[in-house]
Amino acid sequence: MNSVCRGAAGLVGLGAGVLAWSTLVEPRAFALREFEVPVLPGGADPLRVLHLSDLHLVPGQRAKQDWVRSLAALKPDLVITTGDNLAHQDAVPAVLDTYRDLLEVPGVFVLGSNDYFPPTLKNPLRYFNDSHERGEKLTPQRLPTQDLVDGFTGAGWLDLNNARGTLTVRGLRLEFIGVDDPHLERDRYDLAAGPAAPDTDLLIGVTHAPYQRILDAVAADGAPLILAGHTHGGQVCVPFHGALVTNCDLDTGRAKGLSRWWPGAGSAPSSAAPVDASWLEVSAGLGASPYSPFRLACRPEATLLTLV
């Protein structure tokens, strides 16, 4: 075999290995990310917040379900889920069963586009310019969204879709601002806008897709902490470089993890943040569309935030 043939065979082998890893191994290599965030009043005891996002559950995904169920052992004080729980018409019972023990913990939620519409086959290159159709423009099919909402609210979780809400957790009065999915342009921030009440210990913003218009508005209202999902952390990333896309107008440097945000931050680095900037935590999420079930250099994740 000449050198050209050997090189071609090597590239084919490498490609097959990467494909196998990104479809069979990494999507099941669930990770728990942990951050400490200084947002509580002085003297307050730490608060453990479990952030879940982008489950994209199809019935029968037992490894994912079992791993999420195991997170109840962390004994979080609060659970926040930032949407895209569904990826199948029959997934609601499986989602509620997956969250079963966590539903006994105080929680809040917002919805994502895939809680309304089922996944469809689309050209992944369109994510680079955000030109793909979405929602009813993409498919007339709908998912049983209300069944999911009823399951969450029936367990006592707060529905934050274009709404505010309060919870008292471990003696702390927490106030929340949430919006329905900005990716589908269902957000109506005006219905939830405003600074925290005087007796609030912490104001938290919650959104599925971290579009800058939402982040700017929540930060302007003085929320020290904002949580989001949607980006999948880039999903298919370049090793030692990171995300290439975020599927919204958030910069790729904030595609996952903890950073700072302030009105007009744009692509400025967190190091340029003013002292009163919000903390922004974006989850890379736990799943993906069944039509693009890849993960590369971006493990599926949940996040445990210790607020101090």
Side-chain angles (χ1 to χ4, degrees):
M1 182 182 296
N2 62 39
S3 60
V4 173
C5 291
R6 285 195 298 271
L11 287 175
V12 170
L14 177 62
V18 170
L19 180 62
W21 174 269
S22 64
T23 56
L24 300 176
V25 179
E26 193 162 334
R28 295 167 178 80
F30 304 107
L32 179 68
R33 292 167 66 88
E34 298 189 52
F35 298 105
E36 186 175 274
V37 194
V39 291
L40 294 184
D45 291 332
L47 197 69
R48 291 160 63 85
V49 178
L50 180 63
H51 179 199
L52 303 169
S53 196
D54 298 88
L55 194 62
H56 290 283
L57 194 66
V58 173
Q61 292 180 327
R62 291 187 179 87
K64 186 191 301 184
Q65 291 180 268
D66 289 345
W67 191 83
V68 174
R69 287 192 194 101
S70 75
L71 297 175
L74 297 171
K75 298 188 181 304
D77 301 306
L78 174 69
V79 178
I80 298 178
T81 176
T82 48
D84 273 9
N85 293 280
L86 308 178
H88 191 278
Q89 190 73 31
D90 301 323
V92 171
V95 168
L96 297 178
D97 182 59
T98 300
Y99 287 162
R100 181 182 59 230
D101 293 339
L102 293 172
L103 287 170
E104 297 179 6
V105 179
V108 303
F109 70 94
V110 292
L111 299 175
S113 59
N114 284 276
D115 294 317
Y116 291 103
F117 298 96
T120 58
L121 185 64
K122 64 185 74 168
N123 181 355
L125 294 178
R126 289 195 166 189
Y127 286 103
F128 283 90
N129 62 7
D130 202 29
S131 67
H132 56 284
E133 300 288 1
R134 59 200 67 164
E136 62 272 2
K137 294 180 180 179
L138 187 62
T139 174
Q141 294 181 305
R142 295 295 297 266
L143 292 172
T145 309
Q146 194 59 49
D147 292 346
L148 180 68
V149 171
D150 291 345
F152 285 162
T153 58
W157 281 11
L158 293 183
D159 181 349
L160 294 179
N161 290 286
N162 296 329
R164 295 179 81 101
T166 59
L167 290 173
T168 299
V169 180
R170 298 192 63 188
L172 292 170
R173 180 178 171 83
L174 308 179
E175 189 171 2
F176 302 90
I177 307 176
V179 291
D180 204 346
D181 183 30
H183 194 58
L184 292 179
E185 298 183 348
R186 296 178 66 99
D187 54 294
R188 285 287 308 277
Y189 189 77
D190 59 297
L191 299 178
D199 59 346
T200 296
D201 291 304
L202 178 63
L203 178 63
I204 301 175
V206 185
T207 180
H208 173 63
Y211 279 86
Q212 293 188 34
R213 66 179 184 274
I214 301 301
L215 303 182
D216 282 354
V218 177
D221 273 337
L225 179 62
I226 308 171
L227 271 62
H230 177 70
T231 65
H232 297 188
Q235 188 169 327
V236 176
C237 298
V238 177
F240 310 110
H241 171 79
L244 298 176
V245 295
T246 62
N247 198 19
C248 63
D249 64 357
L250 186 70
D251 63 288
T252 55
R254 293 180 172 91
K256 65 178 179 181
L258 191 67
S259 63
R260 307 299 298 274
W261 190 269
W262 60 98
S267 60
S270 294
S271 59
V275 294
D276 60 348
S278 302
W279 291 92
L280 169 65
E281 192 266 311
V282 179
S283 172
L286 287 156
S289 167
Y291 293 103
S292 54
F294 313 107
R295 286 268 180 171
L296 183 63
C298 187
R299 292 171 63 184
E301 67 179 34
T303 310
L304 183 65
L305 301 170
T306 300
L307 309 187
V308 297

